[in-house]
Amino acid sequence: MNDVQLRCFVALGETLSFTRASERCFLSPSAFSRVISRTEQELGSVLCLRNNREVRLTPAGRRFLLYARENLHELRELREELSADKSELDGELSIFATVTACYSILPGMLAPFRRRHPKVGIHLRTGDAADALAMVRSELADCAIAPIPESGVGDLFVEHLTVTPLVFVAPKNLEKKQFIRVSEADDDNLDNGTEEHSPDSSSARFSDHYSDFTGELDGFLRDFPKDALWNRIPVILPERGLGRQRIDRWFASRGIEPNILAQVSGNEGILAMVKLGLGIGLVPELVVKNSPMAEGLEILPHLDRVPDFGVGVAVKKRNAELPEVRAFIEAARTGFRSESEG
């Protein structure tokens, strides 16, 4: 049994999804299933039960999950001990980050890290920020550039890097009417010929609605109407993760039912849809300010009473003292902050 089998089963145990686990391990679903089947055959036990709706670990699977985690950690520690007498680090470091983090945060860390430790091999995996902490917990990545919940992550060590607000963005220089749906009543009137209609009057009405909307965004009055504006402007939201949790709570606290046009995995996908004029999108401000897609987008006023979005380097506590991990945390502590201050 090899470490690939152990890592695959840890991913399955963390996600309880063959699809998500195969993606984390960078294997096709069929290849991932073969790895799990081979592991079960070698052990002579059924480790998981699955149907079209769910995956459940058997008692044998739960025991094997503990075994896999411990053995992966012990293997890593052994490799570090065997290389401890070397004058410079030459192991491997796996990092998980979003595409945005790769060009906005990582350069300030990797540059000093590579200068100091040129022999360390780096494996960089990109994906949705919502998966970052799970990647570290399942030991599919040593470190992750991750959004950090307000409540913290007690089972992980976190080196905090920066904070950024959650913001809505809209495209510039697009007719505001593209964001607004005519109400069903207006549609009926137009279809029945009971309302005189011209493009100019329509554009003016839509523009007024949008102006009212941005005015409300600027002030966030306590008596913000439940159905007047938010339910008429298409909104593009993260599919899941910390940002989605926070905006859902914000909407619920105000009794707002937003007109959700799309739910997207990944901030760059949200920006792409906004740039096409499909609606307004929610992303961390850090994303907009560093994205190559930022041109042609404008940031709407900040959301009142939505906590800032903390970003940091997350690692498993027991891995925090491994030489490569410790060196990367030090590079993050000094390199990113120096770049930010500069």
Side-chain angles (χ1 to χ4, degrees), residues 53-189:
R53 294 181 300 174
E54 63 178 355
V55 175
R56 291 185 295 111
L57 298 185
T58 63
R62 290 192 290 272
R63 289 186 61 190
F64 184 67
L65 179 60
L66 295 174
Y67 170 88
R69 285 171 170 162
E70 289 301 319
N71 274 266
L72 286 171
H73 183 69
E74 289 177 8
L75 177 61
R76 179 69 179 273
E77 285 188 323
L78 176 60
R79 287 172 176 166
E80 299 298 341
E81 288 175 11
L82 295 177
S83 62
D85 58 343
K86 296 180 180 178
S87 59
E88 57 183 329
L89 298 180
D90 64 353
E92 294 185 345
L93 181 73
S94 59
I95 304 169
F96 180 87
T98 64
V99 173
T100 301
C102 288
Y103 52 71
S104 63
I105 295 178
L106 272 180
M109 306 175 189
L110 284 180
F113 182 82
R114 291 296 291 168
R115 284 196 299 269
R116 297 168 193 161
H117 313 289
K119 293 186 178 181
V120 174
I122 295 174
H123 299 275
L124 176 61
R125 300 178 178 182
T126 60
D128 190 345
D131 292 326
L133 297 180
M135 289 289 288
V136 171
R137 290 188 174 108
S138 61
E139 303 204 33
L140 291 170
D142 298 318
C143 312
I145 311 301
I148 308 300
E150 285 182 282
S151 58
V153 281
D155 59 327
L156 302 177
F157 170 83
V158 174
E159 179 68 28
H160 291 274
L161 299 175
T162 188
V163 295
T164 179
L166 281 170
V167 297
F168 274 104
V169 293
K172 294 179 182 176
N173 304 322
L174 230 72
E175 291 186 31
K176 305 307 183 186
K177 67 181 181 180
Q178 293 193 35
F179 296 105
I180 313 295
R181 289 183 308 165
V182 180
S183 69
E184 291 181 6
D186 286 346
D187 283 342
D188 291 340
N189 289 336

Side-chain angles (χ1 to χ4, degrees), residues 147-150 162-167 242-243 246 249 284-285 302-311:
I148 308 300
E150 285 182 282
T162 188
V163 295
T164 179
L166 281 170
V167 297
L242 187 58
R246 289 185 177 178
R249 286 198 297 267
E285 188 177 60
H302 291 182
L303 297 177
D304 184 37
R305 298 182 183 176
V306 175
D308 284 348
F309 208 77
V311 180

Side-chain angles (χ1 to χ4, degrees), residues 240-251:
R240 55 199 174 91
L242 187 58
R244 180 58 185 269
Q245 294 167 13
R246 289 185 177 178
I247 195 61
D248 282 349
R249 286 198 297 267
W250 188 84
F251 282 136

